[in-house]
Amino acid sequence: MMLRPQDTSTRERKNLDGLWRFALDGDRRGRDAGWFARRLDTDRELAVPASYNDLTAEAEVHDHVGPVWYQREVWVPAGWAGRRVVLHLESATHRATVWVGDAEVVSHEGGYTPFEADVTAHVTPGQPVRISVEVDNTLTFRSIPPGEVEQTAHGPRQRYWHDFFNYAGLHRSVWLYATDPAHLTDVTVTTGFAGTDGHVDYRVGWESGPADGAPDGTGGADPDVAVVLRDADGAEVATGRGATGRLTVPDVHLWAPGDGYLYDLELQLVRDGTVLDSYHQSVGVRTVRVDGARFLINEQPFYFTGFGKHEDLAVLGKGHSPAHLVHDVALLEWIGANSFRTSHYPYSEDVLDYADRRGLVLIDETAAVGLNLGMFGRRDQPTFSPDTIDDQTREVHAQAIRELVARDRNHPCVVLWSIANEPESRTAEAEAYFRPLFDVAREADPTRPVGFVNVGLAPHGQCRVSQFCDVIMLNRYYGWYSYTGDLAAAEDAWEAELRDWAGEGKPIIVTEYGADTYPGLHATTPTPWTEEYQVAYLDMNHRVFDRIAEVVGEQVWNFADFATTPGIIRVGGNKKGVFTRDRQPKAAAHTLRARWRGRVAG
């Protein structure tokens, strides 16, 4: 486990964002040639954080398949002498190996969760050090998400079965940070309330480094853990001791949708009266549970309004941008959205921190998208088989679930885990693949509901995976991919299927519904691709939802237009956004604002 880098009374971090030397390595010779052991032989520099694909004007960079190398020299602060020094990468898509100087220090599989290495033995405080990162964007049947590389006469071509561009690189921040050799390693908080009293249960992990005068760590007393809970004004409301415990919060201010109230839990590792390590964890006191067909937050029924989103920006690709985060959330609040799904991968933890503070509700999803070969014309091969997605893939998938939960379990904004988007779910092989993954998710976090997002190719009565879900999540495009342009017939068919799902007695969230819309295209009658049709299409869906009590949420696909692979049905990417890629509203944005803000007011 790991704690996110932060500055505290005992910790210090150094941000390594900026321009890094960059080199393509399509023929995979960098490791054998020892690129990590010397200055990269290149004059090209690219920005971190950002996807590398759109930062140049070169097709070979945009369409590159295989490893790339990032490298820079950094100074290790002189004041870190005697400290434990850690290199932390918030993400590297889709896998990475890291060297500090000539030493390989860590490898990681999975493009959207953090990893780190203790590099104390490889750095000298007060001296510079070379950091090299090999990042590989290749997708195979053994990766999450999956893909396949085809060797062509013109070089390798990456094929994948998800409908968004395979951006890659160092999308999020890179850090060096320092702690005492004795340090906190992990914290888990769970919360609840009874009447006006809240409670915060905590569990803390730590490692006791060498004691003074005992470099082998055999001497001195074991440290103790002390905790202090403070309210938003900094007033102390509860204290405790020990690595596990419960804190009682009188007159608790609950975290709730639209009210992102947070307490601060300070964890201290103490030896002989000296605080060796201090870490701060924000805490939102709230409960989440499913009751029949109701989704309850703080024992109150909750109705999701919002979107599926993407981390997708011009130039930056999937690179995290604080400015765009603030603007996107401002648009969500303007339109009346109370939630979104992190489709189709874990987002930057900065996004979750901000959602915590703004009272936004999140469905948190793994990067398991594209586990459905038939959706993209590969009907000659089963999705789940020894030659395609197999038990080895499932182990990678299980680790992705564990890492997502480990990173995000303390965020009050996260109310539901989604372990996959639109997988093949009609076969016995799919059932066997997913059954243990739901167990993995519930073992990692027994406090939240778990689900997956069902695709229209597995309608009610044919899906063999929905039986494991606490919440039914449906992606449906009646009126777009089926019954195109015939909204009356689409309405009948959609309502009929939705009523079948309602018979399951579980909450239903429609996690995707939408119509491609070219901004500025108009017609006197609603015609597909026009702004008028997008409005009429949404109105039809909303009539259906409002007739079925088991529907507890609607999340339009998509918040904004986004980049995809080239294709004859994509003109400059996916145009289902309610906002354009540069965040200008289409007519549908005003329609949704009237509905969602009216729902809040009502």
Side-chain angles (χ1 to χ4, degrees):
M1 309 306 295
M2 70 187 77
L3 294 173
R4 196 175 188 211
Q6 64 176 227
D7 294 311
T8 72
S9 61
T10 64
R11 291 178 169 235
E12 186 177 1
R13 61 182 177 169
K14 177 172 181 172
N15 184 268
L16 306 187
D17 294 353
L19 296 183
W20 290 55
R21 289 190 295 278
F22 179 87
L24 303 178
D25 187 17
D27 54 6
R28 297 180 180 271
R29 62 188 178 89
R31 290 201 192 201
D32 290 343
W35 287 6
F36 55 84
R38 60 180 186 273
R39 181 184 175 92
L40 272 182
D41 184 18
T42 178
D43 60 358
R44 176 183 277 151
E45 294 179 309
L46 293 188
V48 174
S51 303
Y52 60 75
N53 307 82
D54 290 344
L55 294 183
T56 76
E58 301 168 43
E60 67 168 347
V61 176
H62 181 268
D63 300 327
H64 176 76
V65 179
V68 301
W69 287 71
Y70 291 83
Q71 189 185 83
R72 69 173 296 184
E73 284 79 34
V74 300
W75 284 85
V76 181
W80 289 5
R83 307 278 283 163
R84 167 181 169 264
V85 181
V86 180
L87 177 64
H88 181 99
L89 295 90
E90 293 189 4
S91 73
T93 306
H94 291 278
R95 67 195 54 79
T97 300
V98 183
W99 291 261
V100 173
D102 295 347
E104 181 179 327
V105 295
V106 67
S107 291
H108 181 258
E109 174 72 26
Y112 302 96
T113 45
F115 58 102
E116 65 183 25
D118 184 330
V119 299
T120 310
H122 308 294
V123 301
T124 301
Q127 296 295 320
V129 66
R130 182 180 60 255
I131 297 174
S132 307
V133 185
E134 179 201 56
V135 181
D136 190 343
N137 69 345
T138 306
L139 298 175
T140 72
F141 283 122
R142 307 296 171 262
S143 63
I144 294 293
E148 188 175 32
V149 176
E150 298 177 356
Q151 299 300 329
T152 75
H154 304 286
R157 295 291 183 268
Q158 177 75 70
R159 310 298 182 194
Y160 47 88
W161 304 286
H162 56 264
D163 188 24
F164 55 96
F165 189 77
N166 188 38
Y167 282 115
L170 296 178
H171 293 146
R172 301 169 190 163
S173 289
V174 181
W175 304 88
L176 278 177
Y177 73 91
T179 73
D180 191 90
H183 58 279
L184 300 159
T185 60
D186 189 35
V187 58
T188 302
V189 297
T190 57
T191 66
F193 68 94
T196 60
D197 287 344
H199 67 260
V200 177
D201 294 333
Y202 66 90
R203 183 175 71 251
V204 179
W206 52 272
E207 293 181 2
S208 93
D212 291 341
D216 61 357
T218 59
D222 280 341
D224 191 15
V225 175
V227 301
V228 180
L229 188 70
R230 300 179 178 90
D231 65 18
D233 295 323
E236 183 178 298
V237 296
T239 62
R241 295 195 74 86
T244 62
R246 168 170 287 194
L247 305 177
T248 299
V249 187
D251 297 319
V252 64
H253 187 149
L254 297 179
W255 186 98
D259 182 7
Y261 189 91
L262 297 174
Y263 292 85
D264 175 73
L265 179 66
E266 183 182 4
L267 315 167
Q268 297 177 336
L269 193 63
V270 182
R271 178 187 283 145
D272 298 329
T274 300
V275 177
L276 304 175
D277 195 14
S278 171
Y279 193 85
H280 291 262
Q281 173 64 55
S282 60
V283 176
V285 180
R286 62 105 181 94
T287 60
V288 174
R289 71 182 182 95
V290 169
D291 176 39
R294 300 189 303 164
F295 194 99
L296 304 179
I297 299 179
N298 298 337
E299 296 301 308
Q300 299 298 312
F302 179 72
Y303 191 95
F304 295 76
T305 61
F307 299 94
K309 284 182 93 277
H310 266 299
E311 290 185 311
D312 176 274
L313 297 165
V315 182
L316 288 175
K318 292 197 178 307
H320 177 66
S321 163
H324 284 89
L325 168 61
V326 169
H327 186 54
D328 280 3
V329 171
L331 293 177
L332 290 171
E333 294 174 347
W334 171 84
I335 208 171
N338 60 24
S339 64
F340 64 88
R341 176 168 58 119
T342 68
S343 44
H344 302 296
Y345 38 81
Y347 287 6
S348 166
E349 197 168 357
D350 287 340
V351 175
L352 278 73
D353 286 340
Y354 197 54
D356 285 341
R357 297 195 295 273
R358 303 302 298 182
L360 273 172
V361 171
L362 268 60
I363 301 171
D364 208 0
E365 190 162 85
T366 72
V369 55
L371 283 71
N372 198 329
L373 303 189
M375 282 186 67
F376 290 84
R378 295 289 293 274
R379 295 180 178 86
D380 58 322
Q381 285 183 289
T383 296
F384 302 102
S385 78
D387 296 323
T388 53
I389 296 168
D390 63 3
D391 291 348
Q392 183 179 343
T393 317
R394 184 171 57 200
E395 287 308 307
V396 176
H397 193 164
Q399 185 61 22
I401 293 170
R402 294 186 189 100
E403 291 187 9
L404 171 66
V405 173
R407 192 197 72 165
D408 294 349
R409 64 192 174 202
N410 294 330
H411 287 280
C413 65
V414 176
V415 301
L416 174 60
W417 303 115
S418 173
I419 68 170
N421 177 74
E422 296 190 341
E424 189 276 294
S425 63
R426 296 176 56 166
T427 63
E429 290 79 10
E431 181 178 345
Y433 177 90
F434 275 102
R435 184 187 297 270
L437 292 179
F438 278 87
D439 294 338
V440 167
R442 291 190 169 101
E443 180 181 359
D445 178 20
T447 72
R448 289 177 177 87
V450 181
F452 88 111
V453 176
N454 166 279
V455 69
L457 295 173
H460 183 264
Q462 298 184 34
C463 178
R464 301 180 61 149
V465 176
S466 57
Q467 61 180 309
F468 307 127
C469 298
D470 299 306
V471 177
I472 302 296
M473 291 184 279
L474 304 176
N475 292 355
R476 292 297 186 271
Y477 291 91
Y478 288 98
W480 187 250
Y481 292 123
S482 61
Y483 302 96
T484 309
D486 188 350
L487 293 179
E491 185 168 350
D492 292 342
W494 187 195
E495 182 172 352
E497 189 195 351
L498 203 49
R499 289 197 181 279
D500 287 341
W501 284 105
E504 298 287 324
K506 298 179 181 181
I508 299 169
I509 305 171
V510 182
T511 38
E512 289 184 24
Y513 63 109
D516 280 279
T517 304
Y518 201 85
L521 186 63
H522 296 284
T524 55
T525 58
T527 304
W529 286 93
T530 65
E531 294 196 38
E532 288 76 16
Y533 189 80
Q534 189 179 35
V535 168
Y537 170 94
L538 294 175
D539 286 343
M540 178 275 288
N541 277 270
H542 297 154
R543 290 194 297 270
V544 174
F545 304 162
D546 291 346
R547 293 196 288 263
I548 299 175
E550 289 78 6
V551 173
V552 301
E554 55 194 56
Q555 293 188 331
V556 176
W557 189 257
N558 191 283
F559 172 73
D561 297 342
F562 58 92
T564 64
T565 54
I568 59 173
I569 65 169
R570 296 285 178 250
V571 183
N574 192 304
K575 290 293 192 287
K576 292 187 182 69
V578 168
F579 296 92
T580 63
R581 199 180 189 206
D582 62 353
R583 280 34 181 188
Q584 297 305 307
K586 302 176 187 176
H590 299 280
T591 296
L592 288 170
R593 186 172 191 262
R595 172 176 172 83
W596 291 344
R597 293 179 73 89
R599 179 181 290 274
V600 171

